[in-house]
Amino acid sequence: MENVSLPIIDYAALSGAPEARRQMLAKLGQAAREVGFFYLTGHGLSEAQQQETLALAARFFALPEQEKRTVQMVHSPHFRGYNQVGAELTRARPDRREQFDIMGEEAAIGADALHQPWQRLTGPNQWPAALPGMKAQLLDWQARLTDITLGLLSAFAEVLEQPAEVFDASIRGAPYQHMKLIHYPGREVGSSDQGVGAHKDPGYLTLVMQDDHSGLEVETANGWISAPPLPGALVVNIGELLELASNGYLKATLHRVVSPPPGVSRLSCAFFMAARLDATVPLLTLSPALAAEAQGPESDPTNPLFYQVGENVLKGRLRSHPDVAARHYPSSQEQGTLRREALPA
């Protein structure tokens, strides 16, 4: 295994003895501010349980192409389902990965209650008939990952010297959930090495579970560094919503995945937690000491940021999946509705 390059946070210590907790909270704040990425241990998910999820991913991606295409994402206005290699774009370039996306299992909002394009993100998942146990297993796994992110979000409230319930209004009922099973095939001669291009995540927090192969890279002040798998640990990164909420005190960090070498197949599972789609990100009032280090969220004209959560999530979905956008959201594309209330550059 390569040398570990990211800070390591012990999740169990965040609810442990007072002194250990104080030290771990300080370490968490430093990791989130200086790197925006860290390894998470002590989270309660055994390596065996993690391997079960990756084994399920392997079974799904091994299905005949025809079986996988029955649950293609293009069939879903809610951006759920399967994408073949090259179907998802990052910065307008195809990613060399295939994936299966789920979100919260919900009923679609009726046409008479639809008032904003982002409301169509709510809806049911697609499930392959060939793997009847997949639904229960993945929804249970998603629920367990959600609990971990909610615990971390509470810890970040303390790091930011806020009341413990400061984020509650934005996640009350249920936060936005989005999980991907991902397969990165080995690169081919002459092909791009873009497993997934450089990007930031739109939510509050992201958890990534990796197999034994490296590929994830993180941009730092000293250039790109590898985030190799650490047995049993999850990789956590800060999303745009925490950057917005903290007025830039915490930073969402660019990251990418490099395709594995020829003949090597890489599997991972990524979970993204955000505020409810109908919520607005709270702009926190920081203490003078923290405010002095908060320089505002990073404004990128190619990636507008929205305090309205549904807009912030949907803009990424539309750019990443032009086939779904063309079929289900033509008016959103034509009228540019997602640029109405972007954070000013």
Side-chain angles (χ1 to χ4, degrees):
M1 186 182 72
E2 302 169 52
N3 292 328
V4 169
S5 53
L6 301 177
I8 299 175
I9 301 297
D10 181 359
Y11 186 77
L14 294 174
S15 56
E19 181 57 23
R21 183 172 180 275
R22 184 193 66 77
Q23 292 181 14
M24 195 55 62
L25 282 169
K27 188 175 181 181
L28 175 67
Q30 183 178 14
R33 172 148 178 80
E34 295 181 1
V35 188
F37 268 77
F38 53 89
Y39 292 105
L40 188 71
T41 62
H43 43 64
L45 304 175
S46 70
E47 288 190 57
Q49 291 167 332
Q50 294 182 54
Q51 290 304 315
E52 287 176 6
T53 301
L54 292 175
L56 176 60
R59 290 197 298 275
F60 173 78
F61 293 120
L63 290 174
E65 194 67 23
Q66 184 176 354
E67 291 274 4
K68 291 184 287 189
R69 286 177 181 267
T70 63
V71 291
Q72 273 187 292
M73 184 181 286
V74 74
H75 302 315
S76 168
H78 321 298
F79 293 90
R80 327 290 179 93
Y82 171 70
N83 281 298
Q84 64 194 67
V85 173
E88 181 165 359
L89 307 182
T90 301
R91 297 192 173 185
R93 293 183 58 204
D95 294 327
R96 188 170 165 74
R97 60 177 178 171
E98 59 174 340
Q99 55 201 341
F100 180 73
D101 290 51
I102 71 166
M103 299 175 193
E105 187 69 48
E106 303 168 284
I109 296 174
D112 58 338
L114 285 172
H115 305 295
Q116 299 292 339
W118 53 262
Q119 289 179 292
R120 300 183 69 202
L121 290 168
T122 299
N125 295 301
Q126 299 190 81
W127 301 103
L131 294 173
M134 189 176 193
K135 177 178 179 179
Q137 185 173 341
L138 284 190
L139 290 179
D140 177 69
W141 191 248
Q142 182 168 248
R144 299 185 70 179
L145 295 177
T146 300
D147 288 344
I148 293 171
T149 56
L150 292 177
L152 284 173
L153 193 62
S154 177
F156 274 115
E158 192 161 351
V159 165
L160 294 168
E161 301 175 7
Q162 301 293 312
E165 68 280 2
V166 71
F167 294 110
D168 286 2
S170 72
I171 58 176
R172 186 172 293 120
Y176 173 75
Q177 302 165 303
H178 178 195
M179 189 165 73
K180 290 175 178 279
L181 301 180
I182 310 169
H183 168 227
Y184 297 93
R187 72 180 70 111
E188 298 174 353
V189 176
S191 69
S192 166
D193 67 353
Q194 178 176 303
V196 58
H199 67 286
K200 298 179 181 181
D201 295 338
Y204 275 140
L205 290 165
T206 301
L207 305 180
V208 178
M209 178 173 64
Q210 308 184 80
D211 68 5
D212 297 332
H213 302 292
S214 292
L216 177 61
E217 296 184 345
V218 178
E219 187 178 50
T220 70
N222 298 317
W224 290 93
I225 62 171
S226 176
L230 177 65
L234 303 173
V235 178
V236 182
N237 67 278
I238 305 302
E240 292 170 345
L241 295 190
L242 267 185
E243 182 172 335
L244 286 170
S246 65
N247 196 33
Y249 178 80
L250 302 177
K251 292 290 188 182
T253 305
L254 280 172
H255 52 287
R256 66 189 182 192
V257 176
V258 177
S259 294
V264 173
S265 200
R266 180 176 183 269
L267 293 170
S268 69
C269 174
F271 173 70
F272 311 89
M273 186 272 279
R276 289 193 331 270
L277 293 174
D278 63 352
T280 299
V281 181
L283 179 57
L284 306 178
T285 301
L286 302 180
S287 68
L290 297 187
E293 298 185 64
Q295 300 176 357
E298 187 175 285
S299 184
D300 178 353
T302 68
N303 179 32
L305 300 178
F306 301 92
Y307 283 96
Q308 203 294 315
V309 176
E311 287 189 291
N312 206 56
V313 172
L314 181 58
K315 54 101 175 180
R317 300 281 79 204
L318 291 174
R319 294 194 309 171
S320 298
H321 299 283
D323 55 345
V324 181
R327 177 176 292 191
H328 299 288
Y329 294 81
S331 63
S332 299
Q333 291 180 305
E334 293 162 7
Q335 298 171 20
T337 56
L338 293 181
R339 299 198 66 86
R340 285 185 291 104
E341 297 178 6
L343 188 72

